[in-house]
Amino acid sequence: MTTAEVLRTALWPIAIMSIIHRSWVLTSNGYITDDWAPVYRAVRNFRAGLDLYNEHLDYVDPHYLYPPGGTLLMAPFGYIDTIYASHNWFVAFNTIALIASACLLVRMFGFSLTSAALPALLAAMFVTESVTNTLVFTNINGCILLAEVLFFRWLLSDRVNDQWLAGAAIGLSLVVKPVLGVLLLIPLLNRQWRALAAAFAVPAVFNAVAWPLVSDSASFVKNTLPYILGTRDYFNSSVLGNGTYYGLPMWLIIVLRLLFVALAAVSLWLLYRYYRTRDPLFWMLTSAGVLLTTSWLVLSLAQGYYSMMLFPFLMTVVLPNSVLRNWPAWLATYGFMTMDRWLMWRWPTTGRFLEYMKITYGWSLLLIVVSCVLYFRYLDAKADGRLDDGIDPTWMPAPRQHASVGG
């Protein structure tokens, strides 16, 4: 057996058992919160014609925050008679979506599904905090990740009509939650108008159809939407959320948010200027990583399991242009992906700070690393005289030729 074959043989049992453990054992046990209970209550009420948006939002318990269009999309689960059965079906759909996302990512980067790349990616995904808590809390992030991967797959296609599919994929995610909304800047910069049109049309159609079917749709605008746009200091890893929790002065919070926006702007400009046409896969996925990380840091709400949406960006480590081939990038990844708990009963204040801040610090460090790598790469090329009208054939490696790992 070759080294690649041995690696593949070793990784598949680890990947399979990790998937079974997260999707069956941990989800059946549950944990500190249950994101599915309010969703099931809402879709059952929707089926019965009862009010949906009538919760007391001052309580910390999970609330139902999907707009009417998202309710319509989730409505089939309301026809399952028990919450336990609907929970299991929803976990199954999320698990399948996660596995499908991994398969699509492996192929997107030119590896075979029979190579060691697939079990390696699956094992890495299912040991992270983001995947584990998505399944245990019974959230929809697995399906959102699949929509993101399909969005990139079709945007990168040579067929123009695939742009409609790309827009429809991300549009379906926006029907439920806006976490991927910032990614629409990519087709805008790439002049892929079909994707933009479909991305806006899909949620518009779903909400237009659902609005008269929801008995209290006006309450979503009056009560739920202000809550969504507000800032809470619990289960919130954004700069504003953690800054509010620890009592930082507002001027410092604003300065930090502006700093991260500036770092993102520099990174996005360098990526667009030198990589958009040279290496579209690297440009698109790295820009997506910058956009998502920045949005989580500077907007009002960001939860740790959003980090799952960075899997396509983290996969760029296999590309020659990657900005992730350094240890600080993976120290940052440890911060927002680890399942390790940093609470310490001997030093409770220190432990709580490390536990609550590790995700925010991880996102922050990742954004700093990306901007520094790109900027110093640019300075080195400029100092050596290797820049020529914005296109440098020696600064950036030639387009890669993929080789399958283990077949």
Side-chain angles (χ1 to χ4, degrees):
M1 296 176 69
T2 65
T3 302
E5 290 171 334
V6 172
L7 185 62
R8 180 179 57 196
T9 302
L11 286 172
W12 267 120
I14 298 173
I16 292 171
M17 297 309 295
S18 297
I19 293 171
I20 294 173
H21 182 257
R22 263 57 175 185
S23 62
W24 180 37
V25 177
L26 293 187
T27 59
S28 64
N29 292 337
Y31 196 45
I32 58 176
T33 190
D34 180 7
D35 290 345
W36 179 245
V39 175
Y40 184 72
R41 181 192 69 85
V43 294
R44 293 289 287 185
N45 285 0
F46 175 73
R47 178 188 174 188
L50 302 176
D51 289 350
L52 277 61
Y53 305 106
N54 55 0
E55 296 176 298
H56 198 302
L57 297 177
D58 290 336
Y59 293 120
V60 179
D61 293 334
H63 304 296
Y64 183 70
L65 304 178
Y66 295 168
T71 304
L72 180 62
L73 189 63
M74 301 295 292
F77 289 97
Y79 290 87
I80 301 176
D81 289 335
T82 66
I83 187 172
Y84 180 71
S86 66
H87 166 275
N88 291 343
W89 275 108
F90 194 67
V91 169
F93 280 123
N94 265 282
T95 303
I96 293 169
L98 287 164
I99 295 171
S101 300
C103 294
L104 290 170
L105 277 174
V106 166
R107 293 299 302 134
M108 191 183 301
F109 283 86
F111 298 109
S112 168
L113 294 181
T114 60
S115 71
L118 181 56
L121 180 57
L122 286 170
M125 289 171 63
F126 277 84
V127 298
T128 62
E129 183 272 348
S130 57
V131 168
T132 301
N133 282 348
T134 286
L135 295 175
V136 173
F137 297 167
T138 325
N139 203 280
I140 199 172
N141 291 328
C143 298
I144 301 296
L145 175 64
L146 178 59
E148 179 190 7
V149 174
L150 288 171
F151 172 67
F152 289 127
R153 181 183 184 275
W154 283 318
L155 276 187
L156 290 163
S157 172
D158 293 330
R159 293 179 292 185
V160 174
N161 285 334
D162 282 352
Q163 294 178 26
W164 296 109
L165 297 175
I170 198 171
L172 283 173
S173 78
L174 298 177
V175 171
V176 179
K177 58 169 64 176
V179 65
L180 299 181
V182 292
L183 298 185
L184 294 180
L185 181 62
I186 293 174
L188 177 64
L189 293 174
N190 215 29
R191 302 171 185 85
Q192 294 171 301
W193 312 117
R194 295 170 183 82
L196 284 173
F200 285 106
V202 169
V205 169
F206 266 89
N207 280 289
V209 172
W211 207 267
L213 301 178
V214 174
S215 62
D216 61 339
S217 54
S219 296
F220 174 79
V221 177
K222 183 179 178 180
N223 301 323
T224 307
L225 191 58
Y227 176 82
I228 295 173
L229 298 176
T231 301
R232 65 192 196 208
D233 60 1
Y234 55 92
F235 294 116
N236 190 354
S237 296
S238 69
V239 171
L240 184 57
N242 270 328
T244 301
Y245 179 79
Y246 283 104
L248 267 63
M250 185 54 64
W251 68 266
L252 180 57
I253 293 174
I254 293 174
V255 168
L256 289 172
R257 294 165 85 186
L258 291 175
L259 174 62
F260 289 128
V261 169
L263 290 174
V266 170
S267 300
L268 290 171
W269 183 84
L270 290 171
L271 287 165
Y272 179 83
R273 185 78 170 87
Y274 297 106
Y275 293 100
R276 186 177 71 89
T277 57
R278 176 85 177 172
D279 192 345
L281 176 64
F282 168 76
W283 167 71
M284 204 169 280
L285 298 189
T286 305
S287 297
V290 172
L291 286 168
L292 289 170
T293 306
T294 306
S295 69
W296 299 334
L297 287 170
V298 305
L299 296 181
S300 59
L301 175 65
Q303 296 178 284
Y305 50 25
Y306 289 179
S307 300
M308 181 192 305
M309 312 309 161
L310 294 179
F311 283 135
F313 170 49
L314 296 177
M315 275 287 291
T316 62
V317 70
V318 304
L319 303 180
N321 288 323
S322 177
V323 295
L324 300 176
R325 295 185 174 188
N326 54 81
W327 66 263
W330 294 98
L331 175 62
T333 303
Y334 171 84
F336 57 76
M337 287 293 190
T338 182
M339 281 293 295
D340 293 350
R341 301 294 302 274
W342 283 78
L343 297 172
M344 297 181 284
W345 67 269
R346 289 185 181 273
W347 300 280
T349 302
T350 300
R352 285 168 63 89
F353 178 80
L354 293 173
E355 176 67 17
Y356 296 161
M357 291 298 296
K358 69 179 189 291
I359 294 172
T360 308
Y361 280 163
W363 291 339
S364 304
L365 179 58
L366 183 67
L367 192 57
I368 292 169
V369 167
V370 173
S371 59
C372 287
V373 169
L374 290 170
Y375 184 64
F376 289 129
R377 187 183 292 179
Y378 167 80
L379 289 181
D380 288 345
K382 187 175 182 180
D384 294 343
R386 288 182 280 127
L387 293 179
D388 181 19
D389 295 328
I391 300 298
D392 170 31
T394 59
W395 175 31
M396 298 169 289
R400 62 205 172 283
Q401 298 293 326
H402 289 308
S404 297
V405 178

